[in-house]
């Protein structure tokens, strides 16, 4: 019985073992079949499904963002593709550069443009440089310096920017780095800034213009171009420019055209104030060798001069005078050589009827009528020619005498040349401009009046006469001056000369320095031991010549 029970229990245990074994096998197989080919548990499929949904949503969101961004980009491109109309902007450029005392120096020339149809009154310009600036001279404005910024405000006569026109200001600057970083132009309570590059329509601005839009709009990149035709940008980099050269790379006449008189100022054909700066010959019959193109070109290129005055003496008591026995054809040939040379160089030229010993211009009025009729007809298409009809009336010649002479000669010129500037001499060796300002010539445009000074003789008394004349609205031209006494000799008075140049530059007066020759006198611009008559270098210059050259350069 016991053996039978043992057998049954063994069978049951065996069956259970088999069942357990089969179940274990199936369980293990099921788990193995549930794994993917990478060995990852299929239970993770739940999490994967959630992640895919998240990715779908994320992709959708990104697509929407990209569409929005693309739309914004299109809008921006659309805006940028439209030309911005620039109402007010500036051009900032170096007329000339040099080095002194370890600094880079330049004559900075700035034009501020108004492209609107209305006159604007009052402006201010902040020019920000990369290096700290120092300024010695400024014209047509006033300046303040704060660290790297030069703040410029207009002179009393330079407040208004005409509709569609411009005003000019300039100064001599020295710095370690003259790169213009930015500028801010203030007009009518708005700021026009020169930063941020944007395509802009300046409607006639030159390629070196520094353009700007109001502070609440897009701005334009600051660019200036110097005479080497390099573009100086706000980053301080210098790159060759592939645009055509700026206006200042041409000749004076190419750049400024026919001049006229507006108020007390000379203005160029665009209406911008302009200053003639140059030299006068001595009597062309005494020093004919200096009347040549090479000499004039030296003065133009090395001095930055734009003017030559041809002094043709009328009565010297001998054959050197046009009206005192001189060979008129030969003398006229010298005048023509001078006009031709200046015209080919794009310089302005004064034909000077140089009365002196004859005292009263009426002494040779018939010769004057014939001469000015001939030359004004001959040069009627030379719009660089200026006529000075009586150099220095003296010997008690009154303004009434001079005025009556001028009212005969001016119509002779106007018959042939309607617009040329005409300079009329004034009493007392062309000093009494204050008297003339009380009774100027009327009925004609583009008439100016001569004042002559010799700095060691003529000081505050004559300067006050000039100030009075200008205050009375008389356009004054310094058609002859020097640094010594009235004899043309004696010592140089640098202090008085400096004061004169302050007056000249403050009032935009044009001037011609006496005289381009090597005569052994203080006023001669060439040293007496120099034989140079064509190419004239700084080594050929007298002390007067060096001073005048520096002043013309703006030093």
């Amino acid at each position: 019985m016991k053996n039978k029970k043992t057998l049954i229990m063994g069978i049951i245990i065996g069956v259970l073992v088999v069942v357990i074994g089969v179940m274990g096998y199936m369980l293990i197989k099921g788990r193995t079949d549930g794994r993917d080919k990478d060995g990852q548990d299929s239970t993770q499929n739940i999490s994967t499904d959630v992640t895919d949904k998240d990715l779908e949503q994320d992709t959708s969101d990104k697509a929407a963002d990209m569409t929005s961004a693309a739309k914004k980009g299109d809008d921006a491109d659309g805006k940028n593709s439209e030309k911005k109309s620039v109402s007010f902007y500036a051009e900032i450029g170096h007329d000339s550069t040099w080095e002194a005392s370890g600094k880079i120096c330049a004559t900075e020339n700035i034009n501020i443009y108004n492209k609107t149809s209305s006159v604007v009154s009052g402006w201010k310009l902040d020019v920000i440089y990369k290096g700290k600036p120092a300024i010695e001279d400024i014209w047509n404005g006033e300046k303040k310096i704060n660290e790297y910024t030069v703040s410029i405000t207009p002179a009393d006569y330079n407040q208004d920017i005409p509709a569609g026109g411009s005003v000019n200001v300039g100064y001599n600057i020295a710095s370690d780095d003259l790169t213009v970083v930015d500028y801010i132009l203030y007009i009518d309570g708005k700021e026009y800034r020169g930063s941020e590059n944007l395509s802009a329509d300046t409607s006639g601005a030159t390629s070196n213009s520094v353009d700007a839009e109001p502070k609440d709009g897009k701005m334009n990149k600051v660019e200036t171009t110097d005479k080497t035709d390099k573009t100086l940008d706000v980053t301080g980099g210098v790159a060759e420019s592939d645009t055509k050269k700026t206006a200042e790379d041409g000749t004076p006449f190419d750049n400024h055209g026919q001049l006229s008189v507006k108020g007390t100022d000379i203005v160029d054909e665009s209406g911008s104030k302009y200053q003639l700066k140059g030299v006068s010959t001595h009597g062309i019959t005494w020093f004919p060798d200096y009347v040549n193109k090479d000499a004039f070109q030296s003065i133009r290129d090395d001095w930055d001069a734009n003017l030559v005055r041809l002094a043709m003496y009328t009565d010297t008591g001998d054959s050197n005078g046009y009206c005192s026995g001189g060979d008129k054809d030969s003398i006229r040939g010298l005048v023509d050589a001078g006009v031709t040379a200046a015209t080919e160089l794009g310089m302005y030229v004064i034909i000077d009827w140089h009365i002196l010993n004859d005292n009263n211009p009426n002494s040779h009025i018939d010769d004057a009528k014939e001469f000015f009729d001939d030359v004004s007809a001959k040069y009627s298409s030379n719009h660089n020619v200026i006529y000075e009809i009586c150099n220095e009336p003296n010997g008690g010649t009154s303004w009434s005498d001079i005025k009556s002479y001028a009212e005969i000669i001016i119509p002779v010129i106007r018959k042939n040349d309607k617009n040329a500037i005409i300079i009329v001499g004034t009493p007392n060796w062309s000093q009494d401009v204050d008297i003339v300002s009380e009774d100027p010539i009327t009925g004609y445009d583009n008439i100016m009046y001569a004042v002559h000074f010799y700095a060691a003789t003529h000081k505050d008394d004559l300067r006050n006469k000039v100030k009075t004349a200008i205050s009375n609205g008389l356009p004054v031209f310094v058609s002859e001056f020097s640094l010594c006494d009235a004899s043309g000799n004696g010592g140089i008075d640098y202090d008085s000369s400096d004061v004169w140049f302050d007056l000249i530059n403050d009032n935009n007066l044009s001037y011609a320095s006496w005289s381009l020759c090597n005569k052994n006198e203080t006023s001669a611009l060439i040293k007496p031991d120099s034989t140079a008559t064509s190419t004239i270098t700084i080594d050929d210059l007298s002390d007067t010549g060096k001073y005048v050259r520096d002043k013309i350069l703006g030093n």
Side-chain angles (χ1 to χ4, degrees):
M1 187 69 177
K2 181 179 179 181
N3 290 338
K4 186 177 180 180
K5 287 182 179 179
T6 301
L7 178 63
I8 292 171
M9 287 297 294
I11 292 171
I12 292 171
I13 290 171
V15 171
L16 289 172
V17 170
V18 170
V19 170
I20 291 170
V22 171
M23 290 179 65
Y25 170 80
M26 292 181 67
L27 179 61
I28 293 170
K29 186 176 185 303
R31 288 183 62 86
T32 303
D33 289 345
R35 295 180 183 271
D36 59 26
K37 64 181 179 179
D38 294 325
Q40 297 300 317
D41 197 313
S42 61
T43 57
Q44 297 299 315
N45 287 343
I46 298 172
S47 297
T48 301
D49 288 342
V50 173
T51 302
D52 286 344
K53 287 179 182 178
D54 291 342
L55 287 174
E56 277 183 17
Q57 183 63 43
D58 185 59
T59 302
S60 176
D61 292 342
K62 286 182 179 178
D65 289 344
M66 289 173 67
T67 301
S68 175
K71 186 174 185 302
K72 289 178 181 177
D74 289 342
D75 291 343
D77 289 343
K79 289 178 182 176
N80 288 339
S81 65
E82 296 174 2
K83 284 279 188 181
K84 286 281 186 181
S85 178
V86 179
S87 299
F88 305 100
Y89 62 94
E91 290 179 349
I92 304 173
H94 306 324
D95 274 359
S96 57
T97 58
W98 64 97
E99 291 187 9
S101 302
K103 298 288 186 181
I104 304 168
C105 306
T107 297
E108 205 80 298
N109 186 47
I110 300 173
N111 291 309
I112 300 171
Y113 290 87
N114 171 14
K115 305 305 289 188
T116 71
S117 58
S118 301
V119 176
V120 295
S121 297
W123 53 268
K124 178 185 172 186
L125 180 67
D126 288 348
V127 182
I128 305 163
Y129 290 93
K130 196 168 185 179
K132 288 187 177 181
I135 293 177
E136 293 185 0
D137 302 300
I138 185 167
W139 46 95
N140 300 337
E142 303 292 336
K143 50 85 177 171
K144 290 183 179 179
I145 299 176
N146 183 14
E147 293 292 324
Y148 298 91
T149 301
V150 178
S151 297
I152 307 161
T153 53
D156 291 341
Y157 57 81
N158 212 22
Q159 295 278 343
D160 294 345
I161 311 178
S166 63
V167 294
N168 175 266
V169 65
Y171 45 82
N172 295 320
I173 184 171
S175 178
D176 294 324
D177 192 334
L178 292 178
T179 302
V180 177
V181 175
D182 201 354
Y183 79 74
I184 307 172
L185 175 61
Y186 302 87
I187 293 177
D188 289 338
K190 292 184 179 179
E191 295 182 9
Y192 297 81
R193 188 180 291 267
S195 52
E196 292 188 17
N197 191 21
L198 180 68
S199 178
D201 180 10
T202 58
S203 301
T206 56
S207 59
N208 71 320
S209 57
V210 185
D211 307 329
E213 274 295 317
K215 185 176 179 182
D216 53 359
K218 295 289 185 180
M219 316 297 181
N220 288 303
K221 186 177 182 179
V222 176
E223 291 185 342
T224 63
T225 304
D226 65 8
K227 285 192 173 184
T228 59
D229 197 29
K230 306 238 183 218
T231 299
L232 310 177
D233 61 35
V234 291
T235 64
V238 180
E240 295 287 350
S241 171
D242 58 3
T243 59
K244 69 180 180 179
K245 289 187 176 183
T246 67
E248 293 303 323
D249 288 320
T251 68
F253 183 77
D254 287 342
N255 298 340
H256 298 280
Q258 185 164 19
L259 307 179
S260 58
V261 179
K262 181 178 179 181
T264 60
D265 291 296
I266 288 178
V267 297
D268 66 13
E269 63 183 6
S270 71
S272 298
K273 292 179 184 180
Y274 190 56
Q275 186 181 36
L276 291 172
K277 302 180 288 185
V279 302
S280 174
T281 67
H282 202 295
I284 56 176
T285 53
W286 287 309
F287 295 94
D289 291 344
Y290 293 93
V291 183
N292 67 80
K293 186 176 179 180
D294 288 340
F296 295 175
Q297 184 166 356
S298 293
I299 303 303
R300 184 196 70 177
D301 293 350
D302 185 50
W303 298 30
D304 208 21
N306 53 23
L307 174 69
V308 173
R309 177 182 185 243
L310 304 172
M312 189 193 79
Y313 276 75
T314 53
D315 191 340
T316 59
D318 57 25
S319 60
N320 285 299
Y322 186 85
C323 304
S324 59
D327 184 337
K328 292 185 178 180
D329 288 339
S330 175
I331 295 171
R332 287 274 299 276
L334 285 171
V335 172
D336 187 62
V339 171
T340 299
T343 301
E344 289 176 355
L345 292 167
M347 300 178 74
Y348 296 90
V349 57
I350 297 173
I351 298 176
D352 166 33
W353 185 258
H354 201 86
I355 71 161
L356 190 63
N357 294 336
D358 29 352
N359 300 337
N360 191 320
N362 291 290
S363 300
H364 297 291
I365 192 167
D366 290 337
D367 284 326
K369 287 193 291 185
E370 180 185 25
F371 176 82
F372 282 110
D373 187 26
D374 289 346
V375 295
S376 63
K378 181 170 185 174
Y379 304 122
S380 61
S381 61
N382 291 52
H383 299 315
N384 61 321
V385 175
I386 296 168
Y387 300 98
E388 185 172 4
I389 62 175
C390 50
N391 165 58
E392 287 184 356
N394 61 84
T397 301
S398 68
W399 171 236
S400 177
D401 292 334
I402 300 166
K403 186 177 182 182
S404 66
Y405 164 84
E407 289 176 336
I408 292 172
I409 300 301
I410 290 172
V412 170
I413 296 172
R414 283 289 179 257
K415 179 183 70 174
N416 301 312
D417 193 328
K418 305 297 184 186
N419 299 308
I421 291 176
I422 298 173
I423 304 171
V424 181
T426 57
N428 192 26
W429 289 276
S430 284
Q431 295 178 53
D432 291 342
V433 285
D434 55 335
I435 294 173
V436 174
S437 70
E438 297 172 356
D439 182 28
I441 296 165
T442 59
Y444 302 96
D445 294 328
N446 300 328
I447 306 299
M448 303 190 76
Y449 300 86
V451 69
H452 294 175
F453 72 83
Y454 284 77
T457 299
H458 306 121
K459 301 191 178 182
D460 283 344
D461 55 345
L462 183 52
R463 287 190 283 265
N464 289 334
K465 286 176 174 284
V466 174
K467 292 175 184 178
T468 297
I470 294 171
S471 177
N472 290 339
L474 195 77
V476 175
F477 196 121
V478 184
S479 55
E480 182 181 315
F481 78 93
S482 194
L483 320 181
C484 54
D485 65 39
S487 70
N489 235 320
I492 294 175
D493 190 329
Y494 288 107
D495 290 339
S496 179
S497 298
D498 286 345
V499 176
W500 271 109
F501 266 94
D502 288 341
L503 179 64
I504 284 171
N505 290 326
D506 286 346
N507 292 280
N508 192 41
L509 301 182
S510 294
Y511 58 87
S513 175
W514 186 265
S515 66
L516 185 63
C517 72
N518 68 344
K519 187 178 179 180
N520 189 19
E521 63 181 14
T522 309
S523 59
L525 299 169
I526 311 297
K527 293 190 296 188
D529 60 353
S530 170
T531 59
T533 56
S534 53
T535 301
I536 299 168
T537 70
I538 194 168
D539 292 333
D540 297 307
L541 302 183
S542 65
D543 289 342
T544 296
K546 291 175 182 176
Y547 177 94
V548 172
R549 174 181 178 271
D550 280 348
K551 289 301 181 183
I552 292 175
L553 284 169
N555 297 347

